[in-house]
Structure formats: C-alpha cells, structure tokens
Amino acid sequence: MRSVLSIFVFFCIVTSEVQNFSLSDINFALGPINAEKLKFPNKLQKPLEVSQAERLKIKFSVESETLKEKLNPQQVFLSLEAEKKNSHGKLTLVFQREEKKKGDYSLIIDLKSKNFVEALEGEAGNYLATIFISEPNYSPLSYSLGTFIFKFGEVPNINRPASESEEFRYKEEIRHIFKPPVKVPFRLISLIFAVLCVLPWVILFALWSSLAVNFNNLYATKEMVLYGTGFMISMGGWVALYIAYFWSVTLFPALACASVLSVFSLFFGNRVLVSKVQFSKLKTQKVD
Amino acid sequence: MNSIYFLLYFVLAFTSSTSLSSSGSRLLVVVDDLKADKVTYSKFFNLLEKRKYSTTFATATDKSVSLISYDERNFDHLVLLTQTTRDLSEELTVASVLNFVNKGGNVLVTASSTVSETIRDFSFEFSIDFDDRLTLVKDPFHTAKENDIFSIYSDNFRGNKIIYTTKEKDSRELKPIAFKGLAHRLTNKNPLCSPVLLAMPSAYSFASADQGEIPENSPFLGQKIALVTSLQARNNARLIFSGSAAMFSDEFLDLPNYDNLQFVDEISKWVFQEKAVLRVKNAKHHRAHETQQHGIYRIKDMMEYSLDIQEFYNGKWNPFQGQDVQFEAKMLDPYIRRTLKPTPEGKFIVHFKLPDVYGVFTFKVEYNRHGYSWILSESNVQVRPYRHNDYDRFLSSAWPYYTSVFSLMAGFLVVASIWLFNEEKTVKK
C-alpha cells in the first residue's frame, strides 16, 4: 500500500509540476566528417565555420531531466540571427525527428541551397545559433550554441522581399559624362599657317612693283574719278559687310545690307566700265 | 463688418471641431456588439475621441451604414473590430471595402482566430495571408501574461521607425508590445506591404486544440510571422492589418511593462493620416542666376531645381527634413540623379548642368519610402542643341582659313582696281 502511495505521489509530482529538459551531446558534422561535439549546456569555444560547398548536420536527443527518458516536444527550433547590427539575416528552422527514434532530432543546413541563402537574404557572416525547445508542462529551454560563420561565396540572384525593392530605397547618384571637347592644334601652329597664307602677297607686291603698276587711269577723266572712286567705295563696302557678318551680324541683316550695296556696286561698276571703254577709245583716236 | 465676424466665427468653429488628421475626421467603427465592445475597447475609443474624430459605431450586420453613397465616401476612416460575426452586412463586402480604399479611405483591420472570411478575403487582396481559423501565435519564451501561453510579446520592429516612433521619441528605448491573436504572412507579391511588428524567433502559429509537433515546412515560424503590417496604396490610402484585436482592448492597453497604449496610439495616428503625410509645393526649375521658369533650355545650361516638401504631424504642416530625397532628369533613362539637400524651411534645392543630349526631358522627384506618403512631382522640359550663334565664334584652329578668306577678298579688290586703273606704259621701239 505504501509503495503504491509513493508511486502515486511521484506520478502527481511528475505530471503536475513543471519539469526541465535535458539534452544529449550536440554533434556537428560537416559532410561525412564529425566536426565538433558539444556537451550541453556548454557553448562552442570558437565559431564553427561552414563554407559554400558544405552541409552542416546538427544532431542531438531531448530527454526529460526528471524522468530520464527521451521526449518528442512540440517545439524544437534552431534560430539563426546575424550578429551584425541592423541586419535582416534571421531565420528559424525546425529540427526533424529521426524516424522511429523517440527524442532524436537532426537538422541539415545546406549552404548550396538557394532557399537557405534567400532566407538569410544573402547575408554571409557570423550568426548566433540558439535552440528553442518547448512542451506543455515543461519549462521552455533556450540554449545558445555559439556562433556559426556562413561563407556563401558568390551569392546567386536571390529574391528579396518585395517591400525592399529598389523603388523604396535610396538609389546611387548618376553624374552625366559629357563628351570631351574637340582637340585643337596648338595656337602657334595655327599662327604659322595663317602667316603662310598671306605670304603670296609679298611675291605679288614684288612682281607688281617690278611691272611698275600704278593707278594713273583713275585720274584720267572726270567720269573715271567719280565712278572709279564710287566703285572702289562700294567694293570696300562689301569687304566691310563680310567682316561685319563674320564678326557679329547674322544672316538676314547681312542680306538686307548686301541688297542695298549691290545696287550701288552694279551702278558704279557699270559706269566705271563704260568710262574705261570711252577713255580707251579716246586714247586710240589720239594715237591714230 | 458683421459678416466678417460671422465668417470668422464659422472658421473658428470649423477648425476647433476637426480632427488632427490631414484627410478628414469621419470615422466608422465596426464591432460585433455595440454595448460590449464599447466597454472592451473603451480606452482605444477614448484615444480617438481625444483626437476629435466624429465617430460612428455600427455592428457588422448593420445595413443602414454604407461606406459610399453616390460615388462619394461617407467616411474618411474605417476600423474593423468585428471578430465573431461570420456574415457581414452587404455594405461591408470585400468589393465595397476595396472601393472605399480606392477612393482614398483609410482602414484599420484587426483579426483574431475567429475572424470572418470577409476580413480574410479582403486582407488577401493586399497579399496579407492570415493563418487558419482557430490558430494562434504561441511563444513560450516570450509570454506577456502568466497562465496564458497565447499572450505573447515582441519587440521585433523590423526597423520601421516612421510608423511607430515619433520625432520626439526616436531616442527612446522601445518597450515590447503584447499580442494575442492570429499570425499572418506577406505573400511577397505586394511591394506596398511593410511589416511593422514581427514575431520573435521562437514564435510559431499553432492550433490551440492540437498537441502534435510543428511541421517543418510551416510558413508561420519565427520572424516569418507578421503580427502587424502596414500598407500604403498608390493613391496614398493607408491600411493597417493587425492579427490581434485584443491588443486594442483595455486589458492589453493596461498591461504594465508593455507599450501597447503608445503603439496603438501611434499606428492609429499613422493609418488615419495624422503623421508622416508629405506634400509637395512650389516645384520650380530655372537657369542658375535666373528666377524665371522656362519650358525650353539649351544643352549644358547650368540649372537650379527646387521644391518645398512639407510633412504633416501634430495637426499642422511642418518642413520635411528627409536626407534621401532624389532628383532625376530622365529621357527614358535617368541622365542625372542627385540628392536634394533640405534647408531648415523644408526647401530642397539642387544645382546641375543639363546633359549634352537634346530632347524632351522629365524633371522628376519621386519619393517612395515605407511609412511616408508617396510623393511625385514631375515636369517635362525641352532641351535644345546649340544654335549657330551659340558656338564659339573664333577658333584658333581656323586662323589660316580666316586669313585666306580676307586675303582673297583683299586680293579681289586690289586686282580689280589694278585692272581698272593701271596705265600701261608703251615701250618705244
């Protein structure tokens, strides 16, 4: 009777009081190699590095601290949280119960998996790993394993949350690249060629002087003086108009001036030619 | 004179009775039971009353209250606190509430494990997917109340400081928020949704009656669970989706060590457009050292673009001080993108040189940030190439050509005069 009573009391304690979880050693395996064994409740001495080509398997069993028997709690999670401030690399994973084995749990983290990289929003680096275990009537267990270092290598094109699309972010500034200015030769070279262009004048003046060129016919008759001077002034007017056009006057005012000037040039040009012919005839008659 | 006093009296009477919202004061609150819910949410309603909303209460089955009449909104804001009514009235169908949003109405949607299909369908229209009926968010590591494993708390605000924190409280340590209700997730199809409060990493969604293990592929795990989500439509209508109606109740607002009262106050201010509302004024562009705006400019002109941006909070328009407002000059693609610097008066100015490409450019300031209302200011300008007289007139490389031309003209003059006036000397034989 006494033993029955003690069993009943023990049963009542076990069923009504909040109990604690206990974990077996945590095994970390990178591919086929057992990388690390961690004794509960210790933390990893140094960060566990997992590179892109590797798969990390975490394995352990859960048991009741009081009853010393394996359990299948409602919640067995692994939380990964980036240590970097303001990072969005956060992920919660569910441990898988090993088939037909009560209380044995394992989880494979495959760094080649695009889903995994996407879930961490492509942020490689240091992650704090925590195991969360809970079950009604048990005190929830939060066990910090330590730091994992994930190295993704080349991050594939991952789908980021729609709310973080480029539309809602500060964009890089764009500065327009202007076409470079056209390259011009040195001014001295331009000057030398400009001087070369006026050199024929020297030859011309030398030849004209040897030919004794003169303007004596301008004063030969009254008509020649009048019309010759008028014609030369109108010619000078054309040169002045060209210079003015080159300097500042635009096309239409230049055309207006040219139309006025052409009347004078035509008139004086005609008259000076007539005068020249008359003077030549007169000269011929005198010689005859 | 009397008429001026009369007008002044009316203006004062009108301004004193309006709410602090920039978009109107007409508020409709839909509940299940008028009498009971007015008691359950009395503190929340008092908050709204203090902010001078003209509140209309209606039950979810009340057919006399319609959101829209003659194509015009009858209310500016809608609060859906109905949880147990399964068949909502014909005036509260998904289509009618969507129409209300399309016309610029703001909606605060609350849910619980017994929420109606109408609310679920309406939320799903915005890519907000609530978990199954009779499920609740559970987090044994973050429980807000003893003996209630479904009352959880979270301080995972996902960095959205515009909706929750105000300018005065930026530096304040944020306390966690107590929550009891339904999990929801964002389907990632709607970029306008932005979570305000997420669950903690140890949370999960679970049917209270179920005692089994959590499936590995559950979409409602840890921080994938959204507790409160905001949405701002393209027409600047605002919506808040909260998985918990309980967090608005007096019971939760009174909880010590949690900031529910502050949180509810802030998110309701946001959703009713009492804060973080932006508007643009005086957008102007002109050549540097000029003041007159033109429609046509020349390539490589030095330009100045300015605009005033104002932010509505504390019942009035204030200068906006955002540091990330950007200006773009684009013709299909942006040629120039520059950050505008604000003055203390809220004037944003940028100086730039027009590109050496001519065509029709759009000067555009588009500011889309979750929390703030979207602003867009754009104007089209023509950019022309150089005219013939805009180019450099005297090029050093053309000096030989200038010399040749004038030499030719002078030559013509001299040769013509020699031909006309030269007296040939006859050589005596």
Side-chain angles (χ1 to χ4, degrees):
Chain A
M1 186 65 190
R2 231 172 134 180
S3 62
V4 172
L5 194 67
S6 63
I7 289 166
F8 176 75
V9 168
F10 176 75
F11 181 76
C12 286
I13 290 165
V14 165
T15 50
S16 62
E17 281 189 9
V18 174
Q19 299 176 63
N20 292 325
F21 292 110
S22 174
L23 301 190
S24 67
D25 290 351
I26 320 288
N27 286 299
F28 298 96
L30 288 169
I33 308 154
N34 280 331
E36 195 103 24
K37 193 175 245 188
L38 185 66
K39 202 164 180 67
F40 175 77
N42 294 343
K43 268 177 88 169
L44 286 166
Q45 292 291 316
K46 55 178 184 178
L48 187 68
E49 204 172 298
V50 191
S51 66
Q52 192 185 10
E54 289 175 323
R55 279 154 50 112
L56 173 68
K57 186 172 182 181
I58 307 167
K59 202 176 160 184
F60 62 90
S61 2
V62 185
E63 59 182 44
S64 162
E65 198 178 54
T66 326
L67 299 172
K68 300 288 179 201
E69 65 175 37
K70 288 187 176 177
L71 290 171
N72 287 331
Q74 194 177 66
Q75 178 189 22
V76 187
F77 286 179
L78 175 73
S79 158
L80 298 168
E81 199 163 337
E83 287 182 351
K84 200 167 73 180
K85 253 192 169 183
N86 300 326
S87 169
H88 291 160
K90 289 170 185 173
L91 178 64
T92 301
L93 300 163
V94 179
F95 277 96
Q96 280 287 290
R97 184 150 59 87
E98 301 252 310
E99 271 184 43
K100 293 176 187 171
K101 284 187 181 174
K102 196 178 180 188
D104 288 351
Y105 286 88
S106 66
L107 177 71
I108 293 170
I109 297 172
D110 185 358
L111 263 66
K112 275 188 285 186
S113 155
K114 194 184 172 191
N115 287 345
F116 179 75
V117 180
E118 236 169 45
L120 293 181
E121 298 190 18
E123 289 188 26
N126 290 20
Y127 280 82
L128 198 67
T130 313
I131 291 177
F132 292 109
I133 302 173
S134 78
E135 168 75 13
N137 299 326
Y138 278 80
S139 173
L141 173 70
S142 160
Y143 171 32
S144 174
L145 294 177
T147 305
F148 293 168
I149 302 174
F150 293 130
K151 292 186 170 175
F152 297 142
E154 217 173 282
V155 179
N157 290 330
I158 54 164
N159 296 321
R160 292 190 178 275
S163 60
E164 285 168 25
S165 68
E166 201 182 77
E167 184 187 354
F168 304 106
R169 278 185 281 153
Y170 178 82
K171 298 179 192 89
E172 251 182 55
E173 290 203 344
I174 298 173
R175 307 242 166 199
H176 182 69
I177 299 167
F178 288 86
K179 283 178 216 151
V182 181
K183 280 185 182 173
V184 290
F186 289 115
R187 286 174 162 233
L188 183 65
I189 294 170
S190 300
L191 193 65
I192 289 168
F193 277 91
V195 171
L196 282 175
C197 287
V198 292
L199 268 185
W201 280 103
V202 178
I203 302 162
L204 271 176
F205 279 119
L207 290 172
W208 283 335
S209 61
S210 69
L211 288 170
V213 167
N214 59 72
F215 297 94
N216 292 344
N217 282 349
L218 180 63
Y219 318 105
T221 61
K222 282 181 182 172
E223 287 82 8
M224 282 293 276
V225 173
L226 179 66
Y227 298 128
T229 313
F231 180 66
M232 291 317 293
I233 289 169
S234 70
M235 282 292 115
W238 279 105
V239 174
L241 178 63
Y242 285 138
I243 291 169
Y245 176 65
F246 175 74
W247 208 262
S248 62
V249 179
T250 50
L251 184 65
F252 292 102
L255 284 174
C257 288
S259 60
V260 174
L261 205 54
S262 62
V263 173
F264 286 97
S265 312
L266 204 67
F267 172 73
F268 284 112
N270 177 267
R271 295 321 305 166
V272 79
L273 284 172
V274 168
S275 304
K276 186 177 165 66
V277 171
Q278 282 174 349
F279 175 66
S280 299
K281 277 182 183 172
L282 195 70
K283 215 174 166 185
T284 317
Q285 281 171 5
K286 271 184 185 174
V287 171
D288 291 342
Chain B
M1 194 67 184
N2 278 344
S3 61
I4 292 170
Y5 282 125
F6 190 68
L7 191 69
L8 196 66
Y9 169 79
F10 259 96
V11 168
L12 285 172
F14 179 73
T15 49
S16 63
S17 64
T18 50
S19 70
L20 296 170
S21 169
S22 63
S23 66
S25 61
R26 298 167 302 167
L27 169 68
L28 174 64
V29 179
V30 180
V31 290
D32 294 311
D33 183 331
L34 277 178
K35 211 171 178 183
D37 285 343
K38 274 189 178 176
V39 176
T40 310
Y41 303 106
S42 67
K43 280 194 184 302
F44 176 55
F45 296 147
N46 280 343
L47 277 179
L48 301 178
E49 200 177 308
K50 273 184 199 164
R51 277 146 50 189
K52 296 176 185 169
Y53 282 98
S54 87
T55 314
T56 307
F57 290 94
T59 60
T61 50
D62 190 347
K63 290 178 185 171
S64 64
V65 179
S66 63
L67 292 172
I68 291 166
S69 303
Y70 304 109
D71 221 25
E72 290 285 332
R73 277 190 282 115
N74 292 329
F75 300 96
D76 303 305
H77 320 287
L78 170 66
V79 177
L80 293 170
L81 279 169
T82 171
Q83 304 303 318
T84 51
T85 311
R86 297 202 72 172
D87 298 316
L88 272 62
S89 82
E90 289 163 7
E91 296 297 331
L92 288 171
T93 58
V94 175
S96 60
V97 184
L98 275 177
N99 198 16
F100 178 73
V101 174
N102 285 336
K103 290 190 181 299
N106 307 305
V107 187
L108 172 59
V109 182
T110 63
S112 68
S113 60
T114 55
V115 76
S116 72
E117 283 301 311
T118 309
I119 303 282
R120 280 173 186 280
D121 293 346
F122 172 72
S123 306
F124 200 71
E125 290 288 333
F126 296 94
S127 298
I128 307 281
D129 184 17
F130 280 107
D131 198 5
D132 294 338
R133 200 174 157 75
L134 301 177
T135 59
L136 286 166
V137 184
K138 190 177 171 184
D139 188 347
F141 299 88
H142 303 97
T143 47
K145 287 158 77 179
E146 276 184 33
N147 306 323
D148 185 0
I149 54 165
F150 291 107
S151 289
I152 64 158
Y153 69 85
S154 172
D155 59 1
N156 192 355
F157 296 108
R158 183 79 188 190
N160 196 331
K161 290 187 176 173
I162 300 159
I163 295 174
Y164 180 30
T165 46
T166 58
K167 292 202 176 316
E168 300 80 45
K169 298 180 186 89
D170 270 352
S171 55
R172 192 175 66 106
E173 185 81 10
L174 294 172
K175 281 188 195 169
I177 308 300
F179 180 96
K180 183 179 184 177
L182 194 59
H184 67 267
R185 69 183 181 98
L186 310 181
T187 59
N188 212 20
K189 287 177 183 164
N190 189 347
L192 304 176
C193 290
S194 169
V196 181
L197 183 67
L198 297 174
M200 301 295 268
S202 51
Y204 56 99
S205 180
F206 205 68
S208 48
D210 198 345
Q211 291 295 314
E213 290 164 57
I214 299 150
E216 182 199 8
N217 54 1
S218 168
F220 297 100
L221 284 180
Q223 293 161 103
K224 283 185 196 165
I225 299 174
L227 304 178
V228 179
T229 297
S230 68
L231 185 143
Q232 187 160 257
R234 298 276 181 204
N235 64 352
N236 279 331
R238 289 178 173 179
L239 295 100
I240 284 276
F241 296 90
S242 168
S244 169
M247 70 188 293
F248 294 84
S249 67
D250 294 0
E251 186 190 352
F252 274 67
L253 296 187
D254 285 339
L255 278 176
N257 305 323
Y258 299 101
D259 248 351
N260 277 46
L261 186 65
Q262 189 67 39
F263 183 74
V264 163
D265 191 32
E266 292 296 335
I267 60 169
S268 63
K269 274 181 183 170
W270 181 83
V271 75
F272 298 152
Q273 310 222 7
E274 284 182 46
K275 64 175 194 175
V277 181
L278 301 181
R279 74 174 179 190
V280 172
K281 288 181 94 178
N282 303 328
K284 199 174 167 189
H285 48 80
H286 52 81
R287 290 189 193 97
H289 315 300
E290 283 184 7
T291 50
Q292 186 70 37
Q293 179 168 314
H294 303 284
I296 302 178
Y297 300 103
R298 199 198 63 189
I299 58 169
K300 293 186 180 178
D301 267 352
M302 288 305 298
M303 297 290 297
E304 182 181 306
Y305 183 92
S306 63
L307 79 168
D308 298 339
I309 304 180
Q310 295 178 326
E311 182 185 359
F312 189 85
Y313 60 86
N314 293 341
K316 61 179 198 291
W317 291 100
N318 303 282
F320 180 59
Q321 291 297 319
Q323 299 293 321
D324 54 351
V325 182
Q326 289 183 303
F327 161 83
E328 280 183 345
K330 60 195 292 185
M331 187 166 59
L332 295 179
D333 291 317
Y335 281 70
I336 294 168
R337 186 185 293 134
R338 301 282 296 278
T339 306
L340 296 151
K341 297 278 170 241
T343 62
E345 295 79 36
K347 186 174 263 309
F348 290 73
I349 303 172
V350 65
H351 293 94
F352 62 98
K353 190 178 182 182
L354 278 174
D356 50 359
V357 180
Y358 57 87
V360 177
F361 275 82
T362 304
F363 290 169
K364 183 177 176 183
V365 171
E366 188 173 19
Y367 188 66
N368 296 336
R369 296 289 182 275
H370 285 296
Y372 286 119
S373 44
W374 319 129
I375 53 172
L376 172 66
S377 169
E378 57 183 359
S379 60
N380 290 338
V381 293
Q382 294 174 50
V383 177
R384 62 165 179 82
Y386 281 125
R387 288 203 187 101
H388 72 281
N389 58 350
D390 285 335
Y391 289 99
D392 285 342
R393 196 69 190 237
F394 306 105
L395 307 172
S396 65
S397 56
W399 285 349
Y401 305 102
Y402 304 151
T403 320
S404 304
V405 167
F406 288 108
S407 169
L408 184 73
M409 283 193 280
F412 174 76
L413 201 65
V414 172
V415 170
S417 56
I418 287 171
W419 182 79
L420 281 173
F421 307 123
N422 183 44
E423 184 192 17
E424 283 184 38
K425 306 275 182 196
T426 50
V427 182
K428 286 179 183 175
K429 290 179 183 175

